[in-house]
Amino acid sequence: MSAAANLERRFATDLRSSGRRLEGYAATFAHEANLGAFRERISLGAFRDALSGDVLALLDHDPGKVLGRTRTGTLELREDDKGLAFSLDVPDTAAGRDVLALAARGDLGGMSFGFLVPEGGESWDGDTRTLSKIDLREISIVSAWPAYEGTEVVLRSRRVAHGHARRERAIRLAEARQWA
């Protein structure tokens, strides 16, 4: 099987915008994701080795909608105590303009990341998988709901003014998922 066939994707929702720059977290360590058949968490340090490669920033995991990449410096990634932080210079393309417009309205669902798990990069405890090493291929801005909770999609410049509305939206989304 090819690497693309084995590529896994996970979602998070921490995204801020300032001008043409988006920042946030594509993944966080503090939250466990319920993926249906199993639960999953990411260990501190899981992304460390992957940050030296060429990682893409995409829109909705679509390789035809590249928003940036680490090789050119338009995407910066770092791992800190919270998770996988990113900073993206959004291009002046149709996809880039759409992303910025949706971010300004608070309509983006979150962030996602596509990855492979190298040999020895995971451990299982019952139905819970812990990822200790991730071969990161891409991060994506998505309109879907996140698998990893605990982060949010906001405009950095409007974060305080829209805090109440974001909390209400997060509660509505959580309730909808509970009844789905």
Side-chain angles (χ1 to χ4, degrees):
M1 239 186 229
S2 72
N6 292 325
L7 191 67
E8 296 187 43
R9 294 185 173 111
R10 298 295 181 267
F11 299 88
T13 56
D14 187 355
L15 183 61
R16 294 172 302 283
S17 165
S18 179
R20 297 202 64 83
R21 190 165 194 82
L22 294 176
E23 298 175 338
Y25 284 85
T28 57
F29 301 131
H31 297 88
E32 189 173 271
N34 183 347
L35 302 173
F38 63 97
R39 300 181 71 72
E40 184 177 77
R41 56 182 162 238
I42 304 169
S43 296
L44 179 67
F47 294 102
R48 189 174 305 126
D49 293 341
L51 299 181
S52 61
D54 186 27
V55 179
L56 299 174
L58 305 175
L59 176 58
D60 290 320
H61 298 289
D62 184 342
K65 295 180 181 173
V66 175
L67 298 172
R69 65 188 323 146
T70 56
R71 184 183 70 204
T72 61
T74 55
L75 171 64
E76 296 174 10
L77 297 170
R78 68 180 166 74
E79 184 181 291
D80 62 22
D81 290 341
K82 182 177 178 180
L84 177 62
F86 75 93
S87 181
L88 172 66
D89 289 325
V90 180
D92 188 15
T93 61
R97 288 186 298 273
D98 288 348
V99 164
L100 290 174
L102 292 169
R105 291 169 35 126
D107 288 342
L108 291 174
M111 292 299 299
S112 179
F113 59 102
F115 65 100
L116 298 170
V117 180
E119 189 171 331
E122 66 183 351
S123 60
W124 288 86
D125 182 12
D127 67 348
T128 301
R129 176 167 87 160
T130 300
L131 297 171
S132 58
K133 188 170 185 176
I134 293 173
D135 182 4
L136 185 65
R137 299 302 175 97
E138 52 99 356
I139 67 168
S140 280
I141 297 170
V142 296
S143 56
W145 291 297
Y148 279 89
E149 298 292 332
T151 56
E152 57 189 29
V153 178
V154 296
L155 278 170
R156 184 169 58 177
S157 60
R158 296 185 177 183
R159 187 176 193 135
V160 175
H162 293 293
H164 181 69
R166 277 195 327 277
R167 283 190 297 279
E168 284 182 17
R169 181 173 177 259
I171 291 168
R172 284 193 308 272
L173 289 173
E175 288 172 346
R177 276 180 271 176
Q178 178 182 357
W179 297 107

